[in-house]
Amino acid sequence: MKTRPFTKSQVALSVSLVLSSAMISTTQAQEQTTDDTVEIIEVSGIRGSMIRAMDIKRSGDGVVEAISAEDIGKFPDTNLAESLQRITGVSIDRSDGEGSRVTIRGFGADRNLVLLNGRQMPTPTRSFDFADLASEGVSAVEVYKTGRASIATGGLGGTINIITPRPLATPGRQASIGFKAVNDDSTQRGDTWTPELSGLYSETFLDDKFGVSLTGSYQKRDSGNSNASVGAGWRSFISGQDEGGWGNLPAEDPDNSYLNKPADGVTYAVPQNLVYQFNEAYRTRINGQLTLEYQATDKLKARLDYTYSERSIDRELTDMSTWFSFNYNNATMVWSEPNSEGVAYPIQYQDTDNFSADAQRGEGIGINSGRGFSSTKNTNNSLGLNLEYQLSDNLFLEFDYHTASAKHEPNSPYGSWGSLAMISNNRIRTTVDFSQVLPVLGIEYPEGVDGFEPADMIGAGSNFGNNHERTDLEQFQANGTYTFDTGFIESIDFGIARTETSNHSKYASATRGTWSGVGEPEDWEDSWFTQRSLPAMFDNIPGHSDPDLEAYFIDWDFVQIADYTAANFYNENAVEWPCGPRFCGGTNYTTDRYTDEEMTSAYVQANLVFDIGDMPANIVTGLRYEKTDTHASALVPSYDGISWSSTNELVLQPTGDSVFTDEYGDYDNLLPSIDFKVELTEDIVARASYSKTISRPSYGDMQGGKTLGGQITTIQGSGSRGNPALLPLESTNYDLSLEWYYEEASYAAIGWFNKDVENFVGRRTITESAFGLRNPAQGPRADAARAAGFTGNGEIRQYILDNYLDSDPNVYLNEHGDVVIDASPEDELAQFEITIPYNQRDNNVHGWEVAVQHMFWDSGFGVNVNGTLVDGDLYYDNASLAPQYALTGLSDSANFIAFYENDELSVRIAYNWRDKFLAWIGDGSGDNPVYTEAYGQWDVNVSYNVTENLAVFAEGINLTNEYQRQHGRHEQMLINLRQSSPRYNLGMRYTF
């Protein structure tokens, strides 16, 4: 038999089950090399980490990749998500200029599972936000792209395991402290320089049998960005159909003002509004972890760890917006030719509302000036106990208990969020040029009004809210490995687990609907308002220097205006003012939902080693069983009757109270997997994998709560609810790859993947009763009328009045003399068309992954280049207005990393690119598509070792100051445009 350079030892098998899904930590990987070791970029410099990563990639089974700390307390990037995007097939979404959520092979964050040390992490949504965790307290992050029986379920694109330091893996004393100064000049109100502190201490005692590890970090960052958006979306039409409806272009153009009006059959859209918004974010992040490890005997080891993270974000915004009324009188519109998809956009959009050339100051419609805020805190707690026991030379057992919570809550006296508006009623005609990257807004004012002026400001509406979300999780896992002394079956892995999660969300809001204005201009001091340059806020965006762009927006102090408004315009309406004469979100939680899941699993997995001729080969194959029970409970308005009070409409009678409704569901899955690897030559490795994986439905789709429309017809009503009986998305996965290791530190690899996914969620209607309500138009009284020959609703109502008024207390005349017929117990149950989520369709996602790593001899120079091509079988048809379903998040991506390194200096430059993709469906004006445009970013990192213990470094993120843009059915139909700034970090790290 040919010599195997990467065979498993019994010790390695024991280590491989430290984590529930046969994952091993970076530090453990240094102690022994195994077939289960994952692809890792790890310690002691860039070149060394890439060489080890290549060796581990070559020896591993399946498609598993990772990134680890280059040194104690030093992760390759300042953010975990930004490190993960360097991996082939991984893309990220950014928030406030930082990596936030991860997409793997085209599947978004809600379709990937995140683990902490092999344990499931709770999230208020299915999407894990990596911005909650600092990278300094993480030793490695692993990405499992193929399914395996021993790996926890929940990720279609992949499973991400975050590994934290363990003291017994690094005996002795290990310590580091780091300081970083972050420069971000995108902020207009915050500090351009903010601090970050981190520290790690690890030490072992009692002859390295007991260890303590403590990590902590504090990070503060202030940032800002400028946005232009059509936040309320684009109203879409097909020319020649239903012309004259609200927003639709009239069939006739008496003024001949529609230049190049879209021809019949062409799809076009008009904007509902235009907003220029300027955001400030003040983020504070605190992370900490304590780990205790004890090697009680040669056979028994225990580990207790606690992880805490807290991220508070205060945001404030200032905006200038115009709402369009779709009044096209005295308006000149210029339309584009339809593009290749048959969609036209307004090159020049113009809107008026009772335009008059003689309009005086204050006689126009509103230019809105808004201030808003949000203030929230995310808190994560995780406590775990792990026991490893080597029962015999052949049998290894592991037991793990984990309890954790994730909480999202308000963090200010106002609530979670709020907005307050002021307006100037001086807009008589609005023109927007959508042909440039930045839409150019021009406003025509009455005679004598010199633009957007403080002297014309009056109060307007407000909206405040409170959001509470919490998820609690309890998990128990028991795993084992039995190793055989001889034979081609090297070992058998097995395990059981039970996980219980409880998700609770509730929302309250308070709205003042005085959007047309309150008070008079003289009620508001001019000095409270400041004109600021609008073009200067978009100085990096093409279009900002257009002379037609409005010159100013108006800024003001939120607290000052909020206090003044509350003191002078408060009324005793508790719905609008739930906290008395001050603004707040209140506690009228009209949405209050619970979702519970109980997941039980068991698996068995065999590891086979054999030869095909003189080629070493191995197979890892297994079967996993998952059983899931779901329960959803939600607070909804309750009703105790239905009144037939007009000819064609029946009205539900609310009780004034709300009740909880309960829904249940369950499902089970058998998930097989097989990974095959063969060394075709000493330099070439081929792999093939097959697996089935699942991703559970979103909490939003599962949440119960049957909500009914307030009125029904004589036949039926309408409503909506969640569906806890939804089945999970189930993917059948195929992977093929070929790898060529042509030099000691260089390789090339190509891989193909295919995912056939069942049970994508859509919407449908079902007919069912609700709350025992009965329909007075369907019962003995109405049947008697029909039997007498009366068919019209008015005739039936008159018949019932004539025959039942004196004998039936449910038939009477109200104070207006109108006939009212209340439901009686003999009437039929009312039927409602209820819209629910359901498992609608199956789809395919497939693609290619290519990677090349090359070291230029011993020069210190090296490169790593990778790319991913992703495709699917369902795309959005931009020209169609019919309801559609399409896969979101699918996009190609690429990475380029070049570096130079010697004993003292390390320089790395990285470029990450992601192609255009469909982000979601629904832009605020209907089921319209929202596309995120292609985006690329350059980052650089320079580190210099002053001494053996002291290193100084500098980092630059988004060096070329790229902006991000989203559009609708046409590339010029702007949805959102965001300008931020580069970010620079200066710091030092000292190790002991």
Side-chain angles (χ1 to χ4, degrees):
M1 180 176 287
K2 188 174 180 179
T3 301
R4 303 175 187 279
F6 300 106
T7 56
K8 289 184 182 177
S9 67
Q10 293 181 8
V11 174
L13 283 166
S14 299
V15 173
S16 70
L17 285 208
V18 168
L19 302 179
S20 66
S21 48
M23 302 174 181
I24 65 171
S25 73
T26 304
T27 51
Q28 292 166 328
Q30 296 171 320
E31 298 172 6
Q32 67 279 318
T33 309
T34 80
D35 283 336
D36 280 346
T37 323
V38 299
E39 179 180 349
I40 298 177
I41 304 171
E42 52 170 16
V43 297
S44 302
I46 301 173
R47 179 182 173 91
S49 68
M50 287 186 172
I51 292 174
R52 284 185 293 274
M54 185 190 73
D55 291 339
I56 295 168
K57 179 180 181 69
R58 181 173 184 171
S59 64
D61 295 310
V63 183
V64 188
E65 305 185 60
I67 299 176
S68 88
E70 295 177 0
D71 202 346
I72 182 171
K74 178 186 178 184
F75 215 70
D77 292 274
T78 60
N79 176 282
L80 292 180
E82 289 167 356
S83 290
L84 284 168
Q85 73 176 335
R86 316 295 180 196
I87 289 178
T88 312
V90 178
S91 303
I92 67 171
D93 294 323
R94 290 177 169 85
S95 176
D96 299 318
E98 291 184 298
S100 177
R101 304 183 191 275
V102 170
T103 295
I104 303 176
R105 290 181 165 180
F107 289 92
D110 58 339
R111 299 302 178 200
N112 300 308
L113 179 67
V114 176
L115 309 174
L116 178 67
N117 294 321
R119 302 158 177 156
Q120 184 173 330
M121 288 291 288
T123 58
T125 66
R126 298 286 190 195
S127 302
F128 184 82
D129 192 343
F130 283 87
D132 285 344
L133 296 179
S135 63
E136 287 81 358
V138 174
S139 62
V141 181
E142 304 167 334
V143 180
Y144 286 72
K145 297 183 192 174
T146 53
R148 191 177 296 179
S150 57
I151 298 177
T153 60
L156 282 192
T159 299
I160 300 171
N161 184 37
I162 302 169
I163 301 173
T164 56
R166 299 179 185 176
L168 295 188
T170 54
R173 178 180 295 172
Q174 310 285 332
S176 75
I177 186 170
F179 171 78
K180 186 185 298 183
V182 179
N183 174 256
D184 190 335
D185 63 5
S186 64
T187 180
Q188 300 288 318
R189 304 176 188 272
D191 297 324
T192 56
W193 287 95
T194 53
E196 294 188 2
L197 298 171
S198 63
L200 183 149
Y201 169 78
S202 175
E203 189 163 2
T204 57
F205 309 90
L206 303 177
D207 297 326
D208 297 330
K209 292 182 178 180
F210 178 75
V212 179
S213 174
L214 178 65
T215 64
S217 66
Y218 169 86
Q219 300 178 347
K220 186 178 184 299
R221 179 181 168 226
D222 298 342
S223 62
N225 55 72
S226 299
N227 293 261
S229 66
V230 179
W234 292 74
R235 294 184 62 83
S236 300
F237 305 95
I238 296 179
S239 187
Q241 299 181 14
D242 302 322
E243 292 182 316
W246 192 57
N248 202 341
L249 296 178
E252 299 296 329
D253 178 16
D255 299 327
N256 295 316
S257 58
Y258 303 148
L259 304 183
N260 200 34
K261 179 185 176 183
D264 288 355
V266 172
T267 299
Y268 71 94
V270 292
Q272 180 64 79
N273 68 337
L274 179 63
V275 182
Y276 297 119
Q277 186 178 97
F278 314 107
N279 300 293
E280 296 286 318
Y282 315 106
R283 186 261 287 160
T284 301
R285 181 167 61 196
I286 300 172
N287 280 193
Q289 186 184 62
L290 173 66
T291 302
L292 306 176
E293 274 192 303
Y294 180 49
Q295 187 76 53
T297 69
D298 292 340
K299 295 183 177 182
L300 177 64
K301 181 167 71 173
R303 183 179 79 252
L304 180 69
D305 56 75
Y306 172 72
T307 302
Y308 175 83
S309 71
E310 177 187 303
R311 179 169 63 106
S312 60
I313 300 182
D314 295 334
R315 302 180 188 273
E316 58 176 320
L317 66 87
T318 304
D319 70 34
M320 172 184 179
S321 64
T322 55
W323 185 266
F324 300 133
S325 60
F326 304 128
N327 188 328
Y328 303 138
N329 295 325
N330 303 292
T332 300
M333 312 277 276
V334 181
W335 290 90
S336 73
E337 293 292 339
N339 61 12
S340 59
E341 297 178 277
V343 181
Y345 82 95
I347 297 173
Q348 175 178 290
Y349 176 82
Q350 200 168 75
D351 189 273
T352 63
D353 195 343
N354 298 321
F355 171 83
S356 172
D358 299 325
Q360 301 299 305
R361 180 185 293 268
E363 295 180 351
I365 58 175
I367 310 167
N368 299 309
S369 174
R371 289 298 310 273
F373 84 97
S374 68
S375 182
T376 59
K377 182 168 70 172
N378 294 347
T379 306
N380 296 280
N381 290 275
S382 170
L383 177 66
L385 174 65
N386 183 275
L387 300 174
E388 299 176 4
Y389 187 57
Q390 190 73 44
L391 187 63
S392 68
D393 290 343
N394 298 92
L395 182 60
F396 170 82
L397 299 175
E398 181 216 18
F399 303 93
D400 192 273
Y401 174 78
H402 178 222
T403 179
S405 65
K407 185 166 59 175
H408 173 89
E409 59 187 341
N411 199 34
S412 87
Y414 295 108
S416 298
W417 51 269
S419 62
L420 185 61
M422 304 289 293
I423 61 171
S424 168
N425 288 319
N426 282 317
R427 178 166 59 102
I428 62 174
R429 182 155 53 191
T430 310
T431 304
V432 184
D433 177 2
F434 282 103
S435 67
Q436 304 185 62
V437 175
L438 174 70
V440 174
L441 171 70
I443 296 174
E444 187 173 340
Y445 296 90
E447 184 72 25
V449 178
D450 187 20
F452 197 14
E453 296 181 330
D456 299 305
M457 302 299 290
I458 61 173
S462 62
N463 194 10
F464 288 74
N466 274 322
N467 296 356
H468 291 265
E469 297 171 344
R470 181 183 177 112
T471 299
D472 293 287
L473 178 146
E474 188 172 31
Q475 183 178 46
F476 172 78
Q477 303 175 86
N479 302 291
T481 297
Y482 186 85
T483 305
F484 295 92
D485 296 323
T486 60
F488 72 96
I489 302 179
E490 189 175 64
S491 63
I492 298 289
D493 302 327
F494 54 89
I496 60 172
R498 181 170 177 85
T499 304
E500 297 181 1
T501 63
S502 176
N503 180 274
H504 180 208
S505 59
K506 60 180 182 178
Y507 312 105
S509 64
T511 300
R512 292 166 54 248
T514 53
W515 303 109
S516 59
V518 293
E520 300 296 332
E522 53 267 25
D523 294 332
W524 312 83
E525 294 288 342
D526 294 354
S527 60
W528 295 345
F529 307 98
T530 303
Q531 285 182 324
R532 297 179 60 189
S533 171
L534 179 63
M537 303 301 290
F538 296 98
D539 58 357
N540 191 44
I541 309 294
H544 78 279
S545 59
D546 192 305
D548 292 331
L549 180 63
E550 277 296 300
Y552 304 107
F553 70 97
I554 290 182
D555 197 3
W556 39 277
D557 183 84
F558 177 87
V559 175
Q560 181 183 42
I561 298 299
D563 290 346
Y564 178 84
T565 303
N568 291 273
F569 297 97
Y570 165 74
N571 59 49
E572 296 185 358
N573 186 332
V575 175
E576 297 181 354
W577 299 90
C579 298
R582 72 175 183 87
F583 287 105
C584 76
T587 57
N588 181 25
Y589 294 106
T590 55
T591 298
D592 195 351
R593 296 171 176 168
Y594 294 83
T595 304
D596 302 312
E597 289 180 307
E598 295 180 356
M599 296 163 282
T600 304
S601 64
Y603 75 89
V604 61
Q605 179 174 283
N607 305 286
L608 315 178
V609 179
F610 56 94
D611 289 334
I612 302 176
D614 62 350
M615 298 182 297
N618 66 280
I619 290 176
V620 178
T621 183
L623 182 67
R624 186 180 186 92
Y625 173 76
E626 291 268 350
K627 176 71 168 67
T628 304
D629 296 293
T630 61
H631 164 241
S633 178
L635 187 71
V636 297
S638 65
Y639 304 91
D640 58 6
I642 296 178
S643 295
W644 193 359
S645 55
S646 64
T647 302
N648 297 312
E649 294 177 344
L650 290 78
V651 179
L652 276 64
Q653 300 300 315
T655 64
D657 297 322
S658 296
V659 297
F660 279 95
T661 60
D662 295 276
E663 307 283 348
Y664 297 88
D666 63 84
Y667 52 85
D668 55 7
N669 301 87
L670 280 174
L671 306 171
S673 63
I674 182 169
D675 292 317
F676 169 73
K677 181 182 72 174
V678 59
E679 297 181 25
L680 300 177
T681 71
E682 291 186 355
D683 300 326
I684 299 176
V685 175
R687 305 175 191 272
S689 295
Y690 163 83
S691 65
K692 283 193 173 184
T693 53
I694 63 171
S695 173
R696 292 180 170 83
S698 70
Y699 289 125
D701 286 338
M702 291 173 56
Q703 287 173 334
K706 187 182 297 182
T707 303
L708 303 179
Q711 296 179 338
I712 69 172
T713 69
T714 57
I715 305 300
Q716 64 189 16
S718 62
S720 63
R721 65 171 172 82
N723 184 8
L726 283 172
L727 298 175
L729 276 68
E730 183 173 292
S731 178
T732 302
N733 313 301
Y734 305 90
D735 283 81
L736 297 172
S737 65
L738 189 66
E739 302 154 10
W740 176 34
Y741 299 89
Y742 58 90
E743 287 184 6
E744 178 187 4
S746 303
Y747 76 94
I750 184 170
W752 171 83
F753 63 89
N754 184 86
K755 294 177 177 289
D756 294 319
V757 185
E758 302 175 357
N759 300 328
F760 276 106
V761 176
R763 295 290 186 274
R764 69 174 178 181
T765 57
I766 61 173
T767 302
E768 61 184 20
S769 61
F771 303 110
L773 296 175
R774 296 185 177 273
N775 186 346
Q778 303 292 330
R781 296 169 301 186
D783 289 344
R786 295 184 183 99
F790 299 103
T791 57
N793 291 341
E795 296 175 326
I796 294 173
R797 283 166 51 82
Q798 188 62 45
Y799 176 90
I800 294 175
L801 175 67
D802 294 340
N803 290 274
Y804 293 91
L805 179 62
D806 296 331
S807 59
D808 189 339
N810 294 311
V811 180
Y812 57 92
L813 299 175
N814 64 17
E815 65 272 20
H816 303 295
D818 299 323
V819 179
V820 178
I821 304 168
D822 289 339
S824 69
E826 294 79 21
D827 290 328
E828 297 178 8
L829 288 171
Q831 300 299 303
F832 295 86
E833 291 285 336
I834 305 296
T835 301
I836 64 169
Y838 80 110
N839 298 111
Q840 178 182 27
R841 60 193 313 136
D842 306 337
N843 294 113
N844 172 267
V845 176
H846 56 273
W848 294 86
E849 296 178 339
V850 180
V852 175
Q853 177 176 298
H854 186 77
M855 304 294 172
F856 295 93
W857 309 285
D858 294 324
S859 64
F861 288 96
V863 295
N864 185 290
V865 182
N866 64 64
T868 304
L869 301 175
V870 183
D871 203 355
D873 62 355
L874 192 60
Y875 288 89
Y876 196 95
D877 181 357
N878 290 319
S880 173
L881 302 189
Q884 298 183 58
Y885 178 84
L887 295 175
T888 59
L890 290 183
S891 65
D892 301 335
S893 60
N895 292 285
F896 169 80
I897 299 173
F899 72 91
Y900 171 77
E901 183 179 53
N902 59 32
D903 292 338
E904 296 178 340
L905 179 66
S906 174
V907 180
R908 185 189 61 165
I909 186 167
Y911 178 74
N912 173 261
W913 173 84
R914 185 179 185 184
D915 203 0
K916 169 185 168 181
F917 63 94
L918 177 65
W920 61 81
I921 297 174
D923 67 348
S925 286
D927 291 335
N928 300 309
V930 176
Y931 296 95
T932 297
E933 298 181 3
Y935 179 83
Q937 178 173 302
W938 287 96
D939 303 327
V940 67
N941 182 297
V942 179
S943 178
Y944 181 74
N945 295 325
V946 180
T947 69
E948 184 178 351
N949 302 103
L950 176 63
V952 294
F953 58 88
E955 301 164 336
I957 298 96
N958 188 19
L959 293 177
T960 55
N961 195 14
E962 302 296 324
Y963 57 82
Q964 297 171 283
R965 192 176 190 273
Q966 293 178 314
H967 66 260
R969 294 178 184 270
H970 192 288
E971 289 188 355
Q972 295 306 125
M973 292 180 182
L974 176 80
I975 298 296
N976 189 62
L977 172 67
R978 174 168 294 190
Q979 172 184 303
S980 53
S981 295
R983 189 167 76 252
Y984 301 99
N985 304 326
L986 298 176
M988 55 78 65
R989 184 182 302 104
Y990 191 87
T991 58
F992 300 88

